[in-house]
Amino acid sequence: MVPADFEERVYTVVRQIPRGKVTTYGQIAYMIGFPKNARLVGATLKHSKRDQITPCHRVVNAAGRLVPNWEEQRELLLSEGVTFKENGHVKMKDHFWQ
């Protein structure tokens, strides 16, 4: 069962991701004690405000793929120094935060 404060736990972790780093939905789920709920983390972030207080742009999937149809995400990451592979995915080995 997912606790009532699940969303706040997710946002608390996202707010800790440093500039120039990214993490994954699965890593956030693991960090808050719900390792099998990566999709629920994604759904939570999908419905959040995209602002500077909660830098959702720093969350990608396990392969480093960006959120579909959110063109601004790449620009925000580039402005923080995040680098990408030729396929458009984040270079996770250089920028993964856990």
Side-chain angles (χ1 to χ4, degrees), residues 29-42:
Y30 174 79
M31 292 171 77
I32 64 172
F34 292 89
K36 298 194 183 286
N37 287 281
R39 288 179 186 255
L40 186 54
V41 170

Side-chain angles (χ1 to χ4, degrees), residues 35-89:
K36 298 194 183 286
N37 287 281
R39 288 179 186 255
L40 186 54
V41 170
T44 298
L45 294 177
K46 180 179 181 178
H47 299 293
S48 72
K49 292 182 182 177
R50 293 179 178 157
D51 57 31
Q52 296 301 322
I53 297 168
T54 308
C56 297
H57 65 280
R58 296 180 186 151
V59 183
V60 297
N61 82 353
R65 192 173 64 234
L66 304 181
V67 176
N69 302 315
W70 186 21
E71 292 75 26
E72 186 181 29
Q73 184 181 20
R74 181 179 174 86
E75 295 306 314
L76 289 167
L77 292 172
L78 283 169
S79 74
E80 295 181 359
V82 173
T83 55
F84 293 83
K85 299 178 187 177
E86 285 186 27
N87 65 5
H89 295 187

